[in-house]
Amino acid sequence: MKFNKLKKVFILTVLILLTFGSQPIFAQSQNQNFPNQPAQGTTEMNQNVRGSVVPNIAVQITEPQSGREVAFSVRLLLLLTILTLAPSILILVTCFLRFSIVLDFIKRALSLQQVPPTSVLNGIAFFMTIFVMWPTFTKVYDNAYKPLSENAITIEEAYHEAEAPLRMFMYGQMAGDTSYIKMFMNMAKLEKPNTLADVPTYILVPSYILHELTVAFKIGVILYIPFIIIDMVVASILMAMGMMMLPPVQISMPFKLILFVLVDGWGLLTQQLFNSVIR
């Protein structure tokens, strides 16, 4: 017992010596790399370095001094409004509306939910629209934008020059079907037009939009017919086999995809859409 007590006292004494006796050594080893006196030095910035310059922005509201300043302000406001509405206008007065609707119809007819994504279909419709409308856009650039940038014509003249090719394109798509033009002319209580020049643009644009919607839905119905037949055949076979709980769409979708790929559906669809616009 006494030996054990002596052993414990010895171990405790050694631990105390190690603890308190090692602190000066550690402190000395840590402080030997630091200088005894404060260091002296200067900091200078390179003369070639220049600070960033923030420009001053001033907004002044003044009264117009003449009628030309008022007209210029109104023109600028109208131009900004047109630029804001330009994407919607270009979508509605071109063949983009027809292409996007037909591509969405074919996606639904194939019973596809996520493939291809809607953004991909809109991108396909957009570039197909650029391909079809390129001659019209070229006429607008040559007759309106280029002379206006060279100060050869005024804004009003540029507007009429840019409007003419688009009007010709819209009227060309509606050739033989002027029912919507007559409907809007009657709603506006205007006289019967003799030529295309007598039809205002605000009458031609909504008439063209309704015509494009009608044509796109007709194409969509025609595209739906073969796929509906496949759905009906698959549903009849499942009913005859007693598999009423199995969704027919789940079985018919692979067959519709195989049929669409074998007949080169994307190529035929693109070619027929192009032929429907460019007669």
Side-chain angles (χ1 to χ4, degrees), residues 21-55:
S22 61
Q23 287 184 356
I25 299 175
F26 291 152
Q28 184 178 1
S29 63
Q30 291 178 356
N31 295 329
Q32 65 183 357
N33 295 327
F34 291 92
N36 297 327
Q37 297 180 356
Q40 297 179 357
T42 58
T43 302
E44 295 182 358
M45 181 177 290
N46 190 359
Q47 299 297 329
N48 296 326
V49 178
R50 297 182 179 179
S52 58
V53 179
V54 180

Side-chain angles (χ1 to χ4, degrees), residues 14 30 32 43 95 102 120 131 136 138 161 163 170-171 176 227 264 273:
V14 171
Q30 291 178 356
Q32 65 183 357
T43 302
C95 53
V102 171
V120 174
F131 175 75
T136 304
T138 303
E161 291 294 337
E163 183 185 29
M170 290 186 288
Y171 191 76
F227 300 110
D264 190 17
L273 286 174

Side-chain angles (χ1 to χ4, degrees), residues 214-229:
T214 303
V215 172
F217 274 72
K218 288 180 180 179
I219 298 174
V221 170
I222 296 174
L223 291 175
Y224 251 103
I225 292 176
F227 300 110
I228 289 177
I229 294 175

Side-chain angles (χ1 to χ4, degrees), residues 181-193 200 202-203:
I181 294 179
K182 295 179 181 178
M183 180 184 70
F184 281 101
M185 292 290 288
N186 293 330
M187 292 171 61
K189 297 181 180 180
L190 299 176
E191 296 181 358
K192 183 179 179 180
Y202 68 90
I203 296 293

Side-chain angles (χ1 to χ4, degrees), residues 100-118:
S100 60
I101 293 176
V102 171
L103 291 176
D104 190 71
F105 263 109
I106 195 64
K107 177 182 177 180
R108 296 178 185 274
L110 290 172
S111 302
L112 300 175
Q113 301 297 328
Q114 302 295 335
V115 179
T118 305

